[in-house]
Amino acid sequence: LRVVAGDWWEAGNVAMYSDDRPSVFINLSPTYSPWTSDEELNEHGGVILWNTDDDLNATAQAENLVHRFPSIMIAEPITLPWNCSATLTPLCVGIGIVPTLAGQAGAALDGAQRISGRTRYQAKELQ
């Protein structure tokens, strides 16, 4: 994993706990993350995360990502419980996988299926 993008909390946690120590593309904004860019994400591939608690906003976010990263594969969102003593609503996270340029040019990815003109991993592939 070379780049992880999204809200600073979700993307930062992935970067912190990943053995790969990916670059964090905060809010997909070069202003917040001048060390990375859309071009790097497209070239080297990566993962984009977003909060899906608000269905309308989450749908708009996914649609914007499809326009910005045409090769993105939108995966099934995952729900994560908080690891704390407080009673908090679990975090629901949308996942977009941007393949590398080599992956985009190569054969179709295993386990992917075409849905409404977009690709997404089947839920069982994420477990």
Side-chain angles (χ1 to χ4, degrees):
L1 180 62
R2 186 88 176 254
V3 178
V4 61
D7 292 339
W8 70 271
W9 183 255
E10 290 88 357
N13 272 288
V14 169
M16 177 69 186
Y17 292 102
S18 171
D19 290 338
D20 297 325
R21 294 289 192 238
S23 181
V24 180
F25 195 5
I26 302 168
N27 294 336
L28 289 157
S29 170
T31 301
Y32 296 129
S33 308
W35 53 85
T36 192
S37 63
D38 285 12
E39 291 76 23
E40 183 177 3
L41 184 54
N42 276 314
E43 182 178 344
H44 298 290
V47 175
I48 302 172
L49 308 172
W50 65 94
N51 190 316
T52 63
D53 288 341
D54 177 354
D55 287 338
L56 185 59
N57 187 36
T59 300
Q61 175 76 3
E63 288 173 0
N64 288 335
L65 291 172
V66 168
H67 291 298
R68 190 166 171 184
F69 303 97
S71 66
I72 194 169
M73 297 175 290
I74 304 296
E76 293 292 330
I78 59 171
T79 302
L80 303 167
W82 291 97
N83 188 16
C84 64
S85 60
T87 304
L88 300 172
T89 304
L91 178 65
C92 192
V93 179
I95 304 169
I97 301 162
V98 179
T100 64
L101 282 178
Q104 293 173 34
L109 296 171
D110 291 337
Q113 70 183 94
R114 193 57 71 179
I115 297 177
S116 301
R118 292 183 230 159
T119 330
R120 80 171 177 194
Y121 281 95
Q122 295 172 344
K124 67 179 182 176
E125 296 287 328
L126 295 173
Q127 297 176 351

